[in-house]
Amino acid sequence: MAGALAGLSLLVPSLLSNDRSPTLIASVVLALVLLWLFVARPRALIHAEGIRLVNPLRVVDLTWPVITEVRSKWALELFVGTTRYTAWGIPADPKRPRHGRGLLTLGANKVGSAQGSRGSRGARGSAVPQAEPKVKVEAQTVAVEVEQRIAADRRRKDGRTPRIASQSWDPAAVGMLLAALALFALALLFG
């Protein structure tokens, strides 16, 4: 947020100035696009049938039956066979034990899902409403939630969850990056 405000505070005066610097404008636009791609955009969305990892330039869709291993040493990592998918938007907390590779993980907080469930469980299992605290989502917490969802899907045993593991480029993100790079290159050449 601070980076975006700093970028806009440089961009707006540069655009309104009589002595515009194309190189400065293009540099700030490129910095704002990179900030959005690598800081604001990455996230993971958990839904009933699987998880969607939104990384800077790619989107990965995985359903619960295809995930063979979950790790969280530096970031959330999901394995489909030997293929690893990393969630850029969910870093690990280095102070907490990592998840995966047979390490015992004790109770963890629940992760918000695409359906928007909120609240925590009290001593008797009833939902206790909470204010909207700003909670840092950590890879260890999401790893526990993913493994619980995988186990629940396997217990269902009806085989209705499709087996999907797809990764694709996001045209909007790639287009924004290419446009910002082209603007920067043009500003360097002709500015």
Side-chain angles (χ1 to χ4, degrees), residues 33 36-37 56-57 169-183:
V33 168
W36 176 74
L37 284 174
L57 298 175
W169 293 98
D170 183 10
V174 172
M176 283 183 66
L177 179 61
L178 291 176
L181 287 170
L183 179 66

Side-chain angles (χ1 to χ4, degrees), residues 25-34 37 173-187:
I25 293 170
S27 299
V28 172
V29 167
L30 179 60
L32 287 172
V33 168
L34 291 174
L37 284 174
V174 172
M176 283 183 66
L177 179 61
L178 291 176
L181 287 170
L183 179 66
F184 183 74
L186 289 172

